Amino acid sequence: MRSDIPLFPPNASTMAVHVDHFYLFMWAVTFVFSIGIAVALVYFAVAYRRRHRDERPGEIHGSLLLELVWSIIPLLLTVVMFVWSTWLFFAQARVPDDAIRVNVVGKRWMWKLQHMTGHREINELHVPVGKPVHLVLTSEDVIHSFFVPAFRMKKDAVPGRYNETWFTATQPGRYHLFCAEYCGTEHSRMIGSVHVMESAEFQQWLAGGPAPVSPVALGRKLFTERMCVTCHYGDSGARGPALNGLPGSKVALLGGGSAVADDTYLRESILTPAAKVVAGYQPVMPTYAGQLGEEDVAALIAFIKSLPPLAGDAASRKASDLRSN
Ligand code: CUA
């Protein structure tokens, strides 16, 4: 919040001011109660001290009013904390639809970032001001945590899964990026910066340097090279299910149950395909764990997402039902 208070990092995202207000509220409640309790403690110790050897205080038989007061006030305060923090939590968890996506891979001891245009960065992230940026994080080894104090944003990068968060930067400038999860010897050096640029400047940055290979293009290449295409060629008689239109859909699984084909599901199905086999197929796909890096997996997912839905998809599925009967 206020940049005039030196204890606060700069305030450079749309969420920062909300987080600060909540933080100040929590701080004020804690402060008022701590001071109140400390003062009461000293006052009571002095006012009700034993004045002579055989002094006996009168018995206390309880007070309904007092019980109500010290139950209802904390209840109200905690309800406010709960509702307020839940609102903040959901605001930070819900990624705006128009956000630009950046894949983040934590690795001892660096941050590898890739834009959907294909631009790669290490320990640096360039983003345009005023545009929501959607971060999808994972790790190649241990847990790291992507922390940008100026955005009041922190999200763990956990091996084996994707975590998501977002921010909209409000002020052009350069901001600290830290790893906020102890990850080994050089944890303290796993730092970098986020460069927030005016839109035109950002476009210029994108245009500079050699033309990068987009994740979709890399994914398309891997899809052929790694022989994915031999089974997933989109015909209903193929050994693997068609991938067109798969992302985001609900998939029936072999042996009952279902799964939503989100990024985490796609990743698992590439690396350890036997974990969730699609109903109607055999668990014949080889495992790619240890053969594909996180960036390759992200590229394959980007490629799968870029596939257009098959025309007459429902019809071809029906045909395959007939064939298997
Ligand atoms: Cu990565 Cu600490």
Side-chain angles (χ1 to χ4, degrees):
M1 85 177 292
R2 351 254 106 132
S3 48
D4 41 314
I5 306 177
L7 290 175
F8 280 91
N11 171 346
S13 83
T14 50
M15 284 306 293
V17 68
H18 300 295
V19 173
D20 286 356
H21 285 161
F22 180 66
Y23 176 76
L24 274 188
F25 171 74
M26 297 286 282
W27 185 87
V29 169
T30 313
F31 182 79
V32 166
F33 276 87
S34 303
I35 296 294
I37 289 167
V39 167
L41 190 73
V42 173
Y43 171 75
F44 289 148
V46 174
Y48 299 103
R49 68 187 184 279
R50 201 181 197 191
R51 282 158 222 264
H52 47 85
R53 276 197 144 274
D54 26 62
E55 183 180 356
R56 290 278 181 278
E59 279 182 40
I60 294 170
H61 296 280
S63 158
L64 182 63
L65 180 68
L66 201 56
E67 296 280 354
L68 286 175
V69 165
W70 71 37
S71 301
I72 290 173
I73 292 177
L75 175 71
L76 290 178
L77 284 171
T78 45
V79 165
V80 169
M81 287 174 193
F82 172 73
V83 172
W84 194 345
S85 59
T86 307
W87 177 84
L88 272 175
F89 177 83
F90 280 107
Q92 291 197 313
R94 252 188 236 119
V95 182
D97 291 335
D98 58 338
I100 49 176
R101 177 170 169 153
V102 175
N103 288 336
V104 183
V105 178
K107 183 186 174 174
R108 283 181 293 182
W109 285 276
M110 63 170 97
W111 292 107
K112 297 196 286 182
L113 302 110
Q114 188 172 29
H115 298 255
M116 289 306 102
T117 48
H119 291 79
R120 290 170 190 277
E121 305 193 64
I122 287 181
N123 295 340
E124 307 254 318
L125 174 61
H126 290 77
V127 294
V129 70
K131 187 104 178 89
V133 177
H134 174 198
L135 299 179
V136 180
L137 307 107
T138 189
S139 165
E140 278 188 12
D141 37 47
V142 298
I143 302 177
H144 305 274
S145 191
F146 194 92
F147 180 35
V148 184
F151 300 162
R152 313 294 186 271
M153 186 211 76
K154 176 158 67 178
K155 198 77 185 175
D156 283 3
V158 181
R161 60 172 291 174
Y162 290 118
N163 280 347
E164 298 177 64
T165 191
W166 70 280
F167 64 86
T168 300
T170 51
Q171 299 287 331
R174 179 164 173 251
Y175 303 101
H176 289 297
L177 158 65
F178 297 108
C179 176
E181 182 69 48
Y182 182 68
C183 54
T185 332
E186 290 182 37
H187 157 73
S188 62
R189 290 201 208 155
M190 194 167 161
I191 53 178
S193 35
V194 179
H195 301 263
V196 178
M197 311 163 98
E198 294 292 354
S199 182
E201 204 189 341
F202 179 69
Q203 293 308 326
Q204 225 168 34
W205 178 82
L206 282 181
V213 180
S214 76
V216 173
L218 174 62
R220 183 179 295 119
K221 186 163 153 266
L222 286 169
F223 198 76
T224 313
E225 274 177 14
R226 297 299 182 137
M227 312 301 259
C228 314
V229 67
T230 45
C231 296
H232 297 280
Y233 52 83
D235 186 272
S236 49
R239 274 198 293 174
L243 305 176
N244 305 60
L246 170 67
S249 68
K250 204 169 161 187
V251 184
L253 298 177
L254 189 67
S258 64
V260 174
D262 56 13
D263 285 17
T264 299
Y265 168 89
L266 295 176
R267 181 183 180 283
E268 182 187 59
S269 297
I270 294 168
L271 296 178
T272 46
K276 294 194 181 81
V277 179
V278 177
Y281 292 90
Q282 296 299 312
V284 292
M285 177 166 157
T287 168
Y288 285 87
Q291 311 208 25
L292 291 171
E294 288 298 342
E295 284 153 291
D296 296 338
V297 176
L300 280 167
I301 293 174
F303 170 65
I304 293 169
K305 285 182 159 176
S306 76
L307 294 171
L310 283 181
D313 199 22
S316 71
R317 264 172 213 198
K318 233 173 238 147
S320 84
D321 287 350
L322 288 175
R323 209 171 307 164
S324 59
N325 281 343

